[in-house]
Amino acid sequence: MKEDKFFELSTEKVNQNTLGIDTASTGEILRMMNEEDQKVASVVQEVIPQVEKVVDDVVKSISQGGRLIYIGAGTSGRLGVLDAVECPPTFSVSSDVVVGLIAGGEKAFVKAVEGAEDDEELGVSDLKEIGLTEADTVVGIAASGRTPYVIGGLRYARELGATTVALSCNTGSKISAEAKHAIEVDAGPEALTGSTRLKAGTAQKMVLNMISTAAMIKLGKAYGNLMVDVNISNYKLEQRAIGIIESITGADRETAASTLKKANNEVKPSIVMITLGCGYEEAKSRLEDANGYVRLAIEK
């Protein structure tokens, strides 16, 4: 009997290194999994040139009023949504700037929606619903690289003129053929055959971290390696913000805290105010002239 091509996918092959995992001790199971996980970072390293091009296009999109949109199903979709929802608190961007779409809608994040990922038209309708434009960048995420929901979405986005990216964990994937940029991270067969929430999921998370974080840094959301656009929505983030201001300006904690309050709980103008000895309005004006880049606002 001829094997279905589906089982020829790297993500679906049987891992020869973990054949005895069902009879292994707890420690042995964990060591097997850890040994497989260690392969992920090296294969992600291999696709950095492709990720670099994607980041530059994402920066261009957001700078021109467009968005970074993730679209995926199952684990891949959840990883996209997770990355998107972390951007507002981390970088103080609107929730409309980085968007995560998952087949089956928000309810699919916590419970599987049967058949949603097999519908190409659903990918199209979800993008239409959020008003996709040619200014946007759409990242289709699918470990197998053949999810119909993602294929349909990418095809529609490409036809509309949006920038398209395919992130998969198999080489020569179907979604790669639908995108301007193809990122194929092949980490090999899973420790538990076909369970792509393992190495494939880790690889996708690493790449998504790179895309959003690098893009936000390029957009002026960092000073050195500090998050100067953190959104202060709780006590922990307030304390982090005060620490950031202290670290950059050399001010004592009391000065940093009081300036933060004067600056409407915004870290960037707080830094400019202390460094240049100016008021909030002037700091905001300088930042606006510098397109939000703290270093440039101070140097000017």
Side-chain angles (χ1 to χ4, degrees):
M1 181 177 177
K2 188 176 179 181
E3 186 179 45
D4 189 299
K5 287 186 177 181
F6 178 74
F7 294 103
E8 294 177 9
L9 297 175
S10 180
T11 50
E12 297 298 325
K13 287 181 179 178
V14 174
N15 191 322
Q16 298 301 310
N17 299 322
T18 61
L19 292 175
I21 199 168
D22 64 323
T23 58
S25 68
T26 302
E28 289 170 339
I29 292 172
L30 300 179
R31 278 187 285 275
M32 287 182 189
M33 293 181 68
N34 180 249
E35 286 173 5
E36 291 302 313
D37 286 341
Q38 289 180 49
K39 301 172 183 177
V40 179
S42 61
V43 293
V44 169
Q45 184 181 38
E46 294 172 7
V47 300
I48 286 177
Q50 289 78 27
V51 179
E52 179 183 359
K53 294 174 183 177
V54 172
V55 169
D56 287 341
D57 272 350
V58 170
V59 170
K60 183 178 178 181
S61 282
I62 296 176
S63 297
Q64 296 177 349
R67 298 165 291 179
L68 166 59
I69 300 167
Y70 297 126
I71 181 170
T75 297
S76 297
R78 293 183 186 96
L79 289 170
V81 172
L82 179 63
D83 197 76
V85 300
E86 289 291 347
C87 285
T90 307
F91 303 111
S92 288
V93 295
S94 164
S95 57
D96 295 329
V97 173
V98 184
V99 180
L101 299 177
I102 181 171
E106 290 184 5
K107 60 182 180 292
F109 190 85
V110 294
K111 188 175 182 180
V113 177
E114 300 299 330
E117 70 175 66
D118 297 327
D119 190 344
E120 284 192 19
E121 287 305 312
L122 185 58
V124 176
S125 62
D126 280 356
L127 288 173
K128 285 183 177 179
E129 189 173 335
I130 63 168
L132 183 72
T133 74
E134 61 182 11
D136 298 323
T137 293
V138 178
V139 180
I141 316 166
S144 68
R146 53 186 284 165
T147 306
Y149 174 78
V150 177
I151 291 173
L154 283 175
R155 188 173 294 155
Y156 169 68
R158 181 164 50 85
E159 291 171 352
L160 194 66
T163 300
T164 49
V165 182
L167 172 57
S168 68
C169 295
N170 283 287
T171 56
S173 72
K174 289 185 177 181
I175 65 171
S176 292
E178 303 293 342
K180 174 185 177 182
H181 301 295
I183 304 173
E184 299 178 337
V185 192
D186 185 356
E190 299 288 3
L192 190 64
T193 304
S195 183
T196 52
R197 66 189 182 87
L198 301 178
K199 286 193 298 184
T202 301
Q204 290 173 325
K205 181 68 169 68
M206 290 175 73
V207 172
L208 296 178
N209 282 347
M210 285 178 162
I211 292 172
S212 58
T213 305
M216 292 299 164
I217 290 171
K218 297 286 286 184
L219 288 164
K221 303 292 185 179
Y223 185 101
N225 62 354
L226 299 175
M227 298 184 291
V228 291
D229 239 348
V230 61
N231 181 36
I232 302 173
S233 58
N234 57 43
Y235 178 77
K236 178 194 74 174
L237 294 177
E238 179 187 39
Q239 295 305 301
R240 178 180 293 165
I242 293 170
I244 289 170
I245 297 167
E246 284 183 282
S247 177
I248 293 173
T249 65
D252 58 55
R253 194 160 190 82
E254 184 180 347
T255 300
S258 63
T259 304
L260 183 62
K261 288 182 179 179
K262 294 175 185 176
N264 197 32
N265 275 345
E266 297 174 57
V267 176
K268 282 183 175 181
S270 298
I271 295 167
V272 177
M273 288 165 68
I274 293 173
T275 304
L276 300 182
C278 65
Y280 176 67
E281 293 303 327
E282 182 181 342
K284 289 288 285 185
S285 177
R286 284 177 174 272
L287 283 164
E288 186 176 340
D289 290 342
N291 291 319
Y293 292 86
V294 175
R295 195 180 299 277
L296 185 59
I298 293 172
E299 290 174 353
K300 277 188 173 182

Tab-separated table of all heavy atoms in Angstrom, residues 28 70-71 75 97 106 115 140 144 150 184 215 286:
chain	number	residue	atom	x	y	z
A	28	GLU	N	13.961	9.557	31.365
A	28	GLU	CA	14.368	9.263	29.988
A	28	GLU	C	13.461	9.965	28.983
A	28	GLU	O	13.922	10.463	27.958
A	28	GLU	CB	14.347	7.736	29.763
A	28	GLU	CG	15.471	7.015	30.489
A	28	GLU	CD	15.298	5.499	30.459
A	28	GLU	OE1	14.150	5.035	30.246
A	28	GLU	OE2	16.285	4.782	30.645
A	70	TYR	N	-1.469	38.109	11.833
A	70	TYR	CA	-1.178	36.681	11.870
A	70	TYR	C	-2.455	35.908	11.579
A	70	TYR	O	-3.526	36.255	12.077
A	70	TYR	CB	-0.670	36.259	13.247
A	70	TYR	CG	0.631	36.893	13.686
A	70	TYR	CD1	0.728	37.558	14.906
A	70	TYR	CD2	1.779	36.800	12.908
A	70	TYR	CE1	1.916	38.113	15.339
A	70	TYR	CE2	2.976	37.351	13.319
A	70	TYR	CZ	3.043	38.012	14.537
A	70	TYR	OH	4.221	38.564	14.965
A	71	ILE	N	-2.330	34.842	10.800
A	71	ILE	CA	-3.495	34.016	10.513
A	71	ILE	C	-3.072	32.542	10.551
A	71	ILE	O	-2.092	32.141	9.925
A	71	ILE	CB	-4.127	34.387	9.145
A	71	ILE	CG1	-5.368	33.538	8.870
A	71	ILE	CG2	-3.121	34.316	8.009
A	71	ILE	CD1	-6.180	34.019	7.672
A	75	THR	N	-2.781	25.098	17.030
A	75	THR	CA	-1.623	25.613	17.760
A	75	THR	C	-0.990	26.798	17.054
A	75	THR	O	-0.635	27.796	17.684
A	75	THR	CB	-0.573	24.500	17.953
A	75	THR	OG1	-1.131	23.451	18.749
A	75	THR	CG2	0.663	25.034	18.648
A	97	VAL	N	-2.945	47.274	15.670
A	97	VAL	CA	-1.686	47.303	14.912
A	97	VAL	C	-1.145	45.898	14.660
A	97	VAL	O	-0.655	45.589	13.578
A	97	VAL	CB	-0.632	48.156	15.642
A	97	VAL	CG1	0.734	48.059	14.963
A	97	VAL	CG2	-1.083	49.617	15.686
A	106	GLU	N	-12.386	33.559	18.127
A	106	GLU	CA	-11.795	33.633	19.465
A	106	GLU	C	-12.062	32.386	20.307
A	106	GLU	O	-11.208	31.962	21.089
A	106	GLU	CB	-12.317	34.872	20.199
A	106	GLU	CG	-11.786	36.181	19.643
A	106	GLU	CD	-12.241	37.380	20.456
A	106	GLU	OE1	-12.893	37.179	21.507
A	106	GLU	OE2	-11.948	38.519	20.048
A	115	GLY	N	-13.220	21.361	11.844
A	115	GLY	CA	-13.410	21.663	10.427
A	115	GLY	C	-13.066	23.077	10.001
A	115	GLY	O	-12.962	23.360	8.800
A	140	GLY	N	0.967	34.011	7.383
A	140	GLY	CA	0.222	32.767	7.486
A	140	GLY	C	1.069	31.733	8.212
A	140	GLY	O	2.217	31.489	7.831
A	144	SER	N	2.309	22.277	9.204
A	144	SER	CA	2.337	21.366	8.059
A	144	SER	C	2.641	22.106	6.770
A	144	SER	O	3.193	21.553	5.825
A	144	SER	CB	0.989	20.656	7.923
A	144	SER	OG	-0.025	21.583	7.556
A	150	VAL	N	-5.273	28.832	5.957
A	150	VAL	CA	-4.133	29.727	5.759
A	150	VAL	C	-3.878	29.961	4.270
A	150	VAL	O	-3.591	31.085	3.842
A	150	VAL	CB	-2.875	29.162	6.445
A	150	VAL	CG1	-1.664	30.054	6.172
A	150	VAL	CG2	-3.100	29.025	7.945
A	184	GLU	N	10.661	28.605	6.204
A	184	GLU	CA	10.448	27.176	6.416
A	184	GLU	C	11.448	26.667	7.452
A	184	GLU	O	12.640	26.560	7.182
A	184	GLU	CB	10.596	26.416	5.102
A	184	GLU	CG	9.577	26.859	4.057
A	184	GLU	CD	9.727	26.166	2.715
A	184	GLU	OE1	10.846	25.671	2.421
A	184	GLU	OE2	8.747	26.107	1.953
A	215	ALA	N	10.728	44.212	14.822
A	215	ALA	CA	9.984	45.290	14.152
A	215	ALA	C	9.732	46.443	15.112
A	215	ALA	O	9.896	47.621	14.758
A	215	ALA	CB	8.669	44.762	13.603
A	286	ARG	N	9.368	67.056	21.113
A	286	ARG	CA	10.654	66.544	20.636
A	286	ARG	C	10.520	65.098	20.145
A	286	ARG	O	11.096	64.723	19.124
A	286	ARG	CB	11.698	66.618	21.756
A	286	ARG	CG	12.232	68.020	22.019
A	286	ARG	CD	13.209	68.007	23.198
A	286	ARG	NE	13.837	69.307	23.387
A	286	ARG	CZ	14.965	69.698	22.775
A	286	ARG	NH1	15.567	68.861	21.937
A	286	ARG	NH2	15.479	70.881	23.002
